[in-house]
Amino acid sequence: MIKTQLLLTILAVFFFSNCEKEKTNDAGSLSEVINAYRVEKGLSEISISTSLTTVAEAHVKDLVENQPNGGNCNLHSWSDNGDWSACCYTSDHAQAQCMWNKPSELTSYKGNGYEISAWSGDSITANQALTMWQGSEGHHNVILNKDIWANSEWNAIGSAIYKGYAVVWFGKEIDTKK
């Protein structure tokens, strides 16, 4: 009886510690999943950027805590509740520059950032986010440098997942911050 209880306790600790590990590593795996997909399609991997990861982490937290994506504002929007300028990004892309400036506004990154975002209720995995973006021509084009992104070379990538939101930031400049 004691051996059975000990075994069950060990299994429970192992199971729950691995579940937590998956949750905390999911953002890193998002960049890895995208890079693996790019390689599968004959493209090069993109270097992980500390700066773009910082921007991604700030943005998913803002999306969860402040919900700037209401009314005409979509998931690329930023609230006025942080160390950044507020931005209502609309489907006509009229305010695109306010989003593109976020990496240089929040970090030492020298260049614009281009974001793709996804939302799926209370939780989302890296694979679920990639599948959603594969089903959206515009997002898919960013990932694979197609269409209007064909002449863009991604040299930096940062990502974050938090409470149902997933964002990935792409940049043309190499991130010199280590």
Side-chain angles (χ1 to χ4, degrees):
M1 181 67 147
I2 292 175
K3 286 182 181 179
T4 302
Q5 287 177 327
L6 180 61
L7 180 60
L8 289 174
T9 302
I10 291 170
L11 288 172
V13 168
F14 177 78
F15 175 77
F16 288 111
S17 66
N18 280 340
C19 286
E20 187 60 33
K21 190 178 291 183
E22 285 179 359
K23 284 181 185 176
T24 58
N25 291 335
D26 211 22
S29 70
L30 181 53
S31 293
E32 291 168 10
V33 165
I34 287 174
N35 272 329
Y37 181 63
R38 285 176 54 85
V39 168
E40 177 186 310
K41 297 297 183 182
L43 299 169
S44 61
E45 288 188 4
I46 308 166
S47 295
I48 306 290
S49 162
T50 301
S51 297
L52 295 182
T53 299
T54 298
V55 175
E57 290 169 348
H59 197 205
V60 291
K61 189 174 180 184
D62 185 45
L63 287 166
V64 169
E65 294 176 0
N66 302 308
Q67 302 177 346
N69 54 311
N72 292 330
C73 304
N74 66 26
L75 289 178
H76 301 303
S77 301
W78 290 71
S79 75
D80 60 359
N81 295 324
D83 294 331
W84 52 73
S85 58
C87 173
C88 176
Y89 195 103
T90 54
S91 59
D92 63 4
H93 309 287
Q95 299 298 321
Q97 196 64 47
C98 75
M99 186 260 292
W100 296 343
N101 289 339
K102 287 300 179 252
S104 60
E105 184 180 339
L106 296 173
T107 69
S108 61
Y109 188 75
K110 306 285 188 230
N112 288 336
Y114 306 93
E115 180 189 51
I116 59 174
S117 55
W119 175 76
S120 180
D122 291 334
S123 67
I124 190 169
T125 67
N127 287 321
Q128 287 171 329
L130 178 59
T131 298
M132 290 171 78
W133 292 321
Q134 288 169 326
S136 166
E137 185 178 9
H139 294 97
H140 196 235
N141 288 341
V142 173
I143 294 169
L144 297 181
N145 298 100
K146 291 183 171 186
D147 197 38
I148 65 169
W149 304 101
N151 294 323
S152 298
E153 180 181 348
W154 301 136
N155 288 301
I157 187 173
S159 62
I161 294 177
Y162 184 60
K163 294 187 178 182
Y165 291 91
V167 300
V168 179
W169 285 79
F170 296 87
K172 297 176 185 178
E173 287 74 19
I174 294 170
D175 188 1
T176 57
K177 184 178 180 184
K178 298 296 176 199

